[in-house]
PDB file of all heavy atoms in Angstrom:
ATOM      1  N   ALA D  73      12.375  -4.245   0.715  1.00  0.00           N
ATOM      2  CA  ALA D  73      11.946  -5.229   1.714  1.00  0.00           C
ATOM      3  C   ALA D  73      12.097  -4.582   3.082  1.00  0.00           C
ATOM      4  O   ALA D  73      12.886  -3.647   3.240  1.00  0.00           O
ATOM      5  CB  ALA D  73      12.813  -6.481   1.633  1.00  0.00           C
ATOM      6  N   VAL D  74      11.339  -5.087   4.060  1.00  0.00           N
ATOM      7  CA  VAL D  74      11.457  -4.526   5.407  1.00  0.00           C
ATOM      8  C   VAL D  74      11.670  -5.616   6.446  1.00  0.00           C
ATOM      9  O   VAL D  74      11.356  -6.776   6.217  1.00  0.00           O
ATOM     10  CB  VAL D  74      10.205  -3.691   5.790  1.00  0.00           C
ATOM     11  CG1 VAL D  74      10.111  -2.419   4.975  1.00  0.00           C
ATOM     12  CG2 VAL D  74       8.930  -4.526   5.672  1.00  0.00           C
ATOM     13  N   GLY D  75      12.200  -5.190   7.584  1.00  0.00           N
ATOM     14  CA  GLY D  75      12.351  -6.100   8.716  1.00  0.00           C
ATOM     15  C   GLY D  75      13.795  -6.430   9.019  1.00  0.00           C
ATOM     16  O   GLY D  75      14.702  -6.115   8.250  1.00  0.00           O
ATOM     17  N   GLY D  76      13.970  -7.062  10.185  1.00  0.00           N
ATOM     18  CA  GLY D  76      15.311  -7.462  10.601  1.00  0.00           C
ATOM     19  C   GLY D  76      15.352  -7.563  12.107  1.00  0.00           C
ATOM     20  O   GLY D  76      14.521  -6.944  12.794  1.00  0.00           O
ATOM     21  N   GLU D  89       6.792  -4.114   9.193  1.00  0.00           N
ATOM     22  CA  GLU D  89       5.737  -4.518   8.245  1.00  0.00           C
ATOM     23  C   GLU D  89       4.570  -3.525   8.239  1.00  0.00           C
ATOM     24  O   GLU D  89       3.795  -3.475   7.276  1.00  0.00           O
ATOM     25  CB  GLU D  89       5.165  -5.898   8.595  1.00  0.00           C
ATOM     26  CG  GLU D  89       6.131  -7.048   8.443  1.00  0.00           C
ATOM     27  CD  GLU D  89       7.110  -7.167   9.608  1.00  0.00           C
ATOM     28  OE1 GLU D  89       6.962  -6.460  10.631  1.00  0.00           O
ATOM     29  OE2 GLU D  89       8.056  -7.972   9.495  1.00  0.00           O
ATOM     30  N   LEU D 262      13.740 -17.747  -4.337  1.00  0.00           N
ATOM     31  CA  LEU D 262      13.105 -16.551  -3.800  1.00  0.00           C
ATOM     32  C   LEU D 262      13.650 -15.282  -4.467  1.00  0.00           C
ATOM     33  O   LEU D 262      12.945 -14.295  -4.617  1.00  0.00           O
ATOM     34  CB  LEU D 262      13.419 -16.524  -2.297  1.00  0.00           C
ATOM     35  CG  LEU D 262      12.414 -15.967  -1.329  1.00  0.00           C
ATOM     36  CD1 LEU D 262      11.038 -16.530  -1.552  1.00  0.00           C
ATOM     37  CD2 LEU D 262      12.860 -16.267   0.095  1.00  0.00           C
ATOM     38  N   GLU D 284       6.947  -5.145  -5.641  1.00  0.00           N
ATOM     39  CA  GLU D 284       7.973  -5.552  -4.675  1.00  0.00           C
ATOM     40  C   GLU D 284       8.403  -6.994  -4.938  1.00  0.00           C
ATOM     41  O   GLU D 284       7.615  -7.809  -5.427  1.00  0.00           O
ATOM     42  CB  GLU D 284       7.437  -5.440  -3.240  1.00  0.00           C
ATOM     43  CG  GLU D 284       6.205  -6.277  -3.031  1.00  0.00           C
ATOM     44  CD  GLU D 284       5.714  -6.313  -1.586  1.00  0.00           C
ATOM     45  OE1 GLU D 284       6.534  -6.282  -0.670  1.00  0.00           O
ATOM     46  OE2 GLU D 284       4.490  -6.400  -1.414  1.00  0.00           O
ATOM     47  N   HIS D 287      10.695 -11.753  -1.740  1.00  0.00           N
ATOM     48  CA  HIS D 287      11.590 -12.042  -0.619  1.00  0.00           C
ATOM     49  C   HIS D 287      11.616 -10.918   0.422  1.00  0.00           C
ATOM     50  O   HIS D 287      11.153  -9.802   0.168  1.00  0.00           O
ATOM     51  CB  HIS D 287      13.010 -12.317  -1.124  1.00  0.00           C
ATOM     52  CG  HIS D 287      13.667 -11.148  -1.807  1.00  0.00           C
ATOM     53  ND1 HIS D 287      14.122 -10.043  -1.135  1.00  0.00           N
ATOM     54  CD2 HIS D 287      13.970 -10.930  -3.109  1.00  0.00           C
ATOM     55  CE1 HIS D 287      14.678  -9.196  -1.982  1.00  0.00           C
ATOM     56  NE2 HIS D 287      14.593  -9.699  -3.195  1.00  0.00           N
ATOM     57  N   GLY D 288      12.192 -11.222   1.578  1.00  0.00           N
ATOM     58  CA  GLY D 288      12.318 -10.246   2.647  1.00  0.00           C
ATOM     59  C   GLY D 288      13.667  -9.547   2.628  1.00  0.00           C
ATOM     60  O   GLY D 288      14.347  -9.506   1.591  1.00  0.00           O
ATOM     61  N   SER D 289      14.054  -9.023   3.798  1.00  0.00           N
ATOM     62  CA  SER D 289      15.254  -8.187   3.866  1.00  0.00           C
ATOM     63  C   SER D 289      16.540  -8.997   4.036  1.00  0.00           C
ATOM     64  O   SER D 289      17.628  -8.432   4.098  1.00  0.00           O
ATOM     65  CB  SER D 289      15.111  -7.204   5.030  1.00  0.00           C
ATOM     66  OG  SER D 289      14.879  -7.947   6.218  1.00  0.00           O
ATOM     67  N   ALA D 290      16.407 -10.315   4.129  1.00  0.00           N
ATOM     68  CA  ALA D 290      17.550 -11.252   4.167  1.00  0.00           C
ATOM     69  C   ALA D 290      18.712 -10.773   5.035  1.00  0.00           C
ATOM     70  O   ALA D 290      19.820 -10.577   4.540  1.00  0.00           O
ATOM     71  CB  ALA D 290      18.025 -11.546   2.740  1.00  0.00           C
ATOM     72  N   PRO D 291      18.485 -10.591   6.337  1.00  0.00           N
ATOM     73  CA  PRO D 291      19.563 -10.087   7.204  1.00  0.00           C
ATOM     74  C   PRO D 291      20.807 -10.974   7.184  1.00  0.00           C
ATOM     75  O   PRO D 291      21.913 -10.484   7.421  1.00  0.00           O
ATOM     76  CB  PRO D 291      18.942 -10.082   8.599  1.00  0.00           C
ATOM     77  CG  PRO D 291      17.504 -10.391   8.447  1.00  0.00           C
ATOM     78  CD  PRO D 291      17.234 -10.863   7.067  1.00  0.00           C
ATOM     79  N   ASP D 292      20.623 -12.256   6.861  1.00  0.00           N
ATOM     80  CA  ASP D 292      21.784 -13.169   6.861  1.00  0.00           C
ATOM     81  C   ASP D 292      22.806 -12.857   5.769  1.00  0.00           C
ATOM     82  O   ASP D 292      23.960 -13.260   5.871  1.00  0.00           O
ATOM     83  CB  ASP D 292      21.323 -14.642   6.749  1.00  0.00           C
ATOM     84  CG  ASP D 292      20.423 -14.912   5.541  1.00  0.00           C
ATOM     85  OD1 ASP D 292      19.726 -13.976   5.085  1.00  0.00           O
ATOM     86  OD2 ASP D 292      20.425 -16.049   5.043  1.00  0.00           O
ATOM     87  N   ASN D 300      20.464 -11.254  -4.791  1.00  0.00           N
ATOM     88  CA  ASN D 300      19.993 -11.313  -6.175  1.00  0.00           C
ATOM     89  C   ASN D 300      19.020 -10.142  -6.426  1.00  0.00           C
ATOM     90  O   ASN D 300      17.969 -10.067  -5.794  1.00  0.00           O
ATOM     91  CB  ASN D 300      19.267 -12.647  -6.371  1.00  0.00           C
ATOM     92  CG  ASN D 300      18.849 -12.875  -7.807  1.00  0.00           C
ATOM     93  OD1 ASN D 300      18.860 -11.958  -8.614  1.00  0.00           O
ATOM     94  ND2 ASN D 300      18.470 -14.094  -8.112  1.00  0.00           N
ATOM     95  N   ASP D 341      22.625 -17.362  -4.998  1.00  0.00           N
ATOM     96  CA  ASP D 341      21.401 -18.117  -4.677  1.00  0.00           C
ATOM     97  C   ASP D 341      20.885 -18.967  -5.835  1.00  0.00           C
ATOM     98  O   ASP D 341      20.146 -19.916  -5.622  1.00  0.00           O
ATOM     99  CB  ASP D 341      20.296 -17.152  -4.217  1.00  0.00           C
ATOM    100  CG  ASP D 341      19.988 -16.100  -5.274  1.00  0.00           C
ATOM    101  OD1 ASP D 341      20.930 -15.438  -5.749  1.00  0.00           O
ATOM    102  OD2 ASP D 341      18.812 -15.960  -5.634  1.00  0.00           O
TER     103      ASP D 341
HETATM  104  P1  LIG M   1      13.914 -13.613   3.515  1.00  0.00           P
HETATM  105  O1  LIG M   1      13.128 -13.659   2.259  1.00  0.00           O
HETATM  106  O2  LIG M   1      14.468 -12.308   3.891  1.00  0.00           O
HETATM  107  O3  LIG M   1      15.131 -14.671   3.414  1.00  0.00           O
HETATM  108  C1  LIG M   1      14.936 -16.083   3.310  1.00  0.00           C
HETATM  109  C2  LIG M   1      16.230 -16.718   2.735  1.00  0.00           C
HETATM  110  O4  LIG M   1      16.323 -16.412   1.349  1.00  0.00           O
HETATM  111  C3  LIG M   1      17.491 -16.174   3.386  1.00  0.00           C
HETATM  112  O5  LIG M   1      18.427 -17.210   3.493  1.00  0.00           O
HETATM  113  C4  LIG M   1      17.994 -15.131   2.426  1.00  0.00           C
HETATM  114  O6  LIG M   1      19.383 -14.945   2.427  1.00  0.00           O
HETATM  115  C5  LIG M   1      17.513 -15.678   1.077  1.00  0.00           C
HETATM  116  N1  LIG M   1      17.186 -14.587   0.147  1.00  0.00           N
HETATM  117  C6  LIG M   1      16.083 -13.790   0.190  1.00  0.00           C
HETATM  118  N2  LIG M   1      16.117 -12.896  -0.792  1.00  0.00           N
HETATM  119  C7  LIG M   1      17.255 -13.127  -1.473  1.00  0.00           C
HETATM  120  C8  LIG M   1      17.850 -12.495  -2.590  1.00  0.00           C
HETATM  121  N3  LIG M   1      17.286 -11.457  -3.220  1.00  0.00           N
HETATM  122  N4  LIG M   1      19.043 -12.962  -3.018  1.00  0.00           N
HETATM  123  C9  LIG M   1      19.631 -14.008  -2.408  1.00  0.00           C
HETATM  124  N5  LIG M   1      19.112 -14.648  -1.354  1.00  0.00           N
HETATM  125  C10 LIG M   1      17.932 -14.202  -0.876  1.00  0.00           C
HETATM  126  O7  LIG M   1      12.964 -14.181   4.667  1.00  0.00           O
HETATM  127  P2  LIG M   1      13.235 -14.279   6.247  1.00  0.00           P
HETATM  128  O8  LIG M   1      14.664 -14.627   6.498  1.00  0.00           O
HETATM  129  O9  LIG M   1      12.162 -15.162   6.736  1.00  0.00           O
HETATM  130  O10 LIG M   1      12.925 -12.819   6.799  1.00  0.00           O
HETATM  131  C11 LIG M   1      13.926 -11.833   7.033  1.00  0.00           C
HETATM  132  C12 LIG M   1      13.235 -10.525   7.382  1.00  0.00           C
HETATM  133  O11 LIG M   1      12.483 -10.080   6.245  1.00  0.00           O
HETATM  134  C13 LIG M   1      12.239 -10.667   8.540  1.00  0.00           C
HETATM  135  O12 LIG M   1      12.322  -9.522   9.333  1.00  0.00           O
HETATM  136  C14 LIG M   1      10.886 -10.761   7.845  1.00  0.00           C
HETATM  137  O13 LIG M   1       9.845 -10.285   8.656  1.00  0.00           O
HETATM  138  C15 LIG M   1      11.124  -9.846   6.654  1.00  0.00           C
HETATM  139  N6  LIG M   1      10.253 -10.102   5.481  1.00  0.00           N
HETATM  140  C16 LIG M   1       9.846  -9.002   4.817  1.00  0.00           C
HETATM  141  C17 LIG M   1       9.076  -9.128   3.675  1.00  0.00           C
HETATM  142  C18 LIG M   1       8.676  -7.888   2.932  1.00  0.00           C
HETATM  143  O14 LIG M   1       9.289  -6.857   3.118  1.00  0.00           O
HETATM  144  N7  LIG M   1       7.668  -7.932   2.079  1.00  0.00           N
HETATM  145  C19 LIG M   1       8.764 -10.410   3.173  1.00  0.00           C
HETATM  146  C20 LIG M   1       9.229 -11.531   3.874  1.00  0.00           C
HETATM  147  C21 LIG M   1       9.996 -11.362   5.029  1.00  0.00           C
END
Side-chain angles (χ1 to χ4, degrees):
V74 291
E89 294 79 8
L262 214 49
E284 58 174 325
H287 64 73
S289 56
D292 55 333
N300 185 346
D341 58 308

